[in-house]
Amino acid sequence: MELPDYLIRLQRSADDEGRRLERLDEDERDAQRRVHFNAAAEVEVAVRDFAASAGLDRHTVEKELRQRARHPRAE
């Protein structure tokens, strides 16, 4: 499945925001959770739109996107 670069960038950005939670104290963590939630929501909307326009199953696209964003293929 060919995924657009913008989807991979969005997923990586959301993953980065999630990882930032690990290094924060409780007050900072609450704010960062909102940032992470918003980034993940943006990915969800983009995936849904892409899947619908390409005639693909959203869950299949999500799975492939997570795999590609987190474990890029060596080229």
Side-chain angles (χ1 to χ4, degrees):
M1 169 185 322
E2 194 65 34
L3 293 174
D5 289 339
Y6 76 90
L7 282 179
I8 295 169
R9 283 192 306 273
L10 281 175
Q11 182 64 57
R12 286 179 179 159
S13 177
D15 290 346
D16 289 345
E17 296 300 346
R19 280 190 291 279
R20 286 188 180 98
L21 288 166
E22 299 167 5
R23 300 182 301 269
L24 302 175
D25 66 29
E26 193 59 37
D27 291 333
E28 295 171 319
R29 194 174 295 128
D30 288 339
Q32 184 59 32
R33 275 191 193 110
R34 286 189 291 278
V35 171
H36 179 235
F37 176 82
N38 290 336
E42 187 177 355
V43 171
E44 184 177 340
V45 169
V47 166
R48 186 184 63 223
D49 292 348
F50 171 75
S53 69
L56 299 168
D57 175 65
R58 177 179 61 89
H59 299 289
T60 303
V61 173
E62 286 174 345
K63 182 179 176 182
E64 179 70 19
L65 177 59
R66 285 190 302 270
Q67 178 68 27
R68 286 267 196 76
R70 296 171 184 166
H71 308 285
R73 297 176 184 156
E75 297 184 30

